[in-house]
Amino acid sequence: MSTTVIVPTYNESPNVAELVRRLGAALPPDGSEILFVDDSSDDTPAAIRASAAWSEVPVRLIHRDAPVGGLSGAVVEGIRASAGDWCVVMDGDLQHPPELVPVLLETGAGTGADVVVASRHVGDGSNAGLSGVGRKVVSNASIALTRAMFPSRLRNCTDPMTGFFALRRAAIEIDTLRPQGFKILLEILARQRLRVVEEPFIFGARFAGESKADFRQGLRFVQQLAALRFGRMSRFGLIGAVGAVANLAIMAGLIAVGVDYLVAAVIAAVITIVGNFFLQEAFVFHDLRAEGRHLAHRFAQSVGFNALEALARLPLLYLIVQFTPIPSVLAQAVTLVVAFIVRYVYHARVVYRPRRTTPISPLLAGAKPVAAALERPSGSAAPAA
Ligand code: GDD
Ligand code: MN
């Protein structure tokens, strides 16, 4: 078995030698290579060449003058240029422990998986190295939303945002990928059906330098989600819209025959919530109905949630209008949008949640996860990433 470790780099010169040293200690020199795909404007290429001179594991460098597709584009270029049966993708800043690379490869070989994901959200894995509560919240929320949008393809992947994973080269159809932004694993898993197995790991602190993630990458991520999927979520939205129109029609009809408007509103809500459930079963989650939960169970979960949500929205609206300067119609629009997303995530992640079909860490069940350093090495003056 041969392996190409692909490391995308953008201004990582103080990290290169340490990464090559630790990878060299973890990998057999025969059948392994380290491939840097570099878009740097600093002296990272020189640092890579210097490490190549002493490293026992062969080190290759692709320096791109036109950094098309950013981090994800670099990874795809690395996969194209790889010589190994397996590609391991990892960051160049030592937030991903090099010592886990042989574990990922062993798991891949031992399980027949196409992709082995190093996950921060399985077993004893952790995202301790993410700087600040804000980034953790954003990271966890994006994982929940993404898994809700791709319930089936991501059924065995708890961390589609990770940048650390191994790929069986022959399983990947590279030409289907449209790399943009930071989330290349999501791109790979969403475009094809692949067999995914996971290994826990602890995402550590950067060895040196600063993170390149910024608000622009967040926007890229939203664009990527839109490009990958407007199927299931838009069907869900369409059925919600049909329900809203039906709600008004029923209410108008009942009032016309003399029913009190409040009673009419309640009857309309009950009919649309129940009707919505059956439309959703038929058109949105039809492929996930067979995931083992009984119809009555799904009905109770879905209708219960929608009823509570409908009840909770009014006091929320009241609070926003009372305590913020937001005008009431705008506040209602915001609560409706938030409610839509929460309702969608709940249905995809709870009511129709696909069951895992591959075991977690099958080879090393019970073993401690491999950790990246959580502390910066002493003497490192670099600011926290
Ligand atoms: N070639 C290339 N081109 N590499 C890049 C670019 C680029 O435009 N932008 C960033 N990189 C490299 C960095 O040099 C580093 O090796 C790696 O990609 C990750 O970038 P960081 O700046 O360290 O990002 P992060 O730590 O905030 O993000 C990490 O965590 C995310 C999960 O929260 C990365 O692992 C992401 O891949 C991961 O999604
Ligand atoms: Mn990083």
Side-chain angles (χ1 to χ4, degrees):
M1 188 173 89
S2 56
T3 306
T4 300
V5 179
I6 298 167
V7 187
T9 46
Y10 181 72
N11 296 352
E12 300 289 359
S13 68
N15 295 316
V16 170
E18 181 66 8
L19 177 67
V20 171
R21 184 187 69 73
R22 278 174 64 184
L23 275 173
L27 291 169
D30 284 339
S32 310
E33 63 165 347
I34 305 171
L35 173 56
F36 286 93
V37 186
D38 181 61
D39 295 329
S40 297
S41 51
D42 71 352
D43 59 346
T44 303
I48 293 168
R49 286 192 200 96
S51 296
W54 53 254
S55 171
E56 270 185 55
V57 176
V59 173
R60 261 205 291 158
L61 165 65
I62 297 176
H63 180 79
R64 307 197 302 168
D65 290 321
V68 184
L71 165 52
S72 291
V75 170
V76 169
E77 197 144 333
I79 300 172
R80 268 187 212 287
S82 63
D85 305 328
W86 280 83
C87 294
V88 176
V89 177
M90 69 189 297
D91 292 353
D93 56 4
L94 292 148
Q95 290 191 277
H96 297 155
E99 296 69 30
L100 191 67
V101 172
V103 177
L104 299 180
L105 293 167
E106 200 186 328
T107 297
T111 59
D114 301 318
V115 182
V116 184
V117 171
S119 169
R120 300 165 293 181
H121 298 288
V122 93
D124 292 328
S126 120
N127 62 7
L130 268 188
S131 48
V133 181
R135 261 207 85 174
K136 283 188 186 149
V137 169
V138 169
S139 174
N140 291 338
S142 352
I143 291 173
L145 177 64
T146 310
R147 294 193 72 192
M149 290 176 77
F150 304 92
S152 205
R153 299 256 160 122
L154 297 180
R155 75 167 68 219
N156 296 315
C157 183
T158 56
D159 197 355
M161 305 296 139
T162 188
F164 194 14
F165 51 92
L167 300 170
R168 185 189 301 280
R169 178 70 171 75
I172 308 303
E173 290 166 26
I174 300 186
D175 292 327
T176 63
L177 304 176
R178 298 283 172 272
Q180 55 172 325
F182 269 34
K183 303 305 170 192
I184 183 59
L185 178 62
L186 171 64
E187 185 73 24
I188 292 170
L189 296 182
R191 297 270 183 206
Q192 331 171 213
R193 186 166 297 284
L194 293 164
R195 194 176 140 80
V196 179
V197 162
E198 299 193 303
E199 285 291 344
F201 88 107
I202 296 171
F203 186 71
R206 257 180 174 269
F207 183 72
E210 277 178 70
S211 170
K212 282 83 191 175
D214 55 14
F215 185 68
R216 251 200 357 251
Q217 295 304 333
L219 293 181
R220 281 269 151 69
F221 171 63
V222 174
Q223 267 172 22
Q224 183 189 15
L225 285 180
L228 284 173
R229 157 125 320 164
F230 259 120
R232 195 186 300 275
M233 212 167 165
S234 48
R235 289 199 304 275
F236 187 81
L238 197 65
I239 283 173
V242 168
V245 173
N247 185 315
L248 298 179
I250 294 167
M251 203 172 150
L254 290 173
I255 292 170
V257 297
V259 179
D260 176 73
Y261 82 97
L262 281 176
V263 178
V266 171
I267 294 174
V270 170
I271 294 176
T272 40
I273 288 175
V274 172
N276 206 66
F277 171 76
F278 288 104
L279 287 173
Q280 181 179 292
E281 285 264 304
F283 299 114
V284 186
F285 295 106
H286 45 283
D287 54 330
L288 296 174
R289 279 186 316 222
E291 289 293 333
R293 286 168 210 79
H294 198 264
L295 174 67
H297 188 183
R298 299 196 297 268
F299 182 85
Q301 281 187 324
S302 173
V303 168
F305 182 88
N306 288 342
L308 278 181
E309 182 235 281
L311 287 178
R313 222 169 335 113
L314 271 184
L316 186 67
L317 181 66
Y318 175 79
L319 290 177
I320 296 178
V321 173
Q322 285 300 307
F323 297 106
T324 73
I326 302 174
S328 57
V329 173
L330 184 62
Q332 172 73 330
V334 170
T335 59
L336 285 174
V337 168
V338 171
F340 170 76
I341 294 172
V342 171
R343 199 185 318 137
Y344 181 74
V345 169
Y346 173 80
H347 281 88
R349 298 289 301 136
V350 179
V351 184
Y352 299 96
R353 179 189 196 120
R355 293 173 198 277
R356 207 182 168 95
T357 55
T358 62
I360 297 161
S361 189
L363 296 184
L364 296 160
K368 281 261 158 276
V370 176
L374 288 179
E375 300 293 326
R376 269 158 193 295
S378 53
S380 159

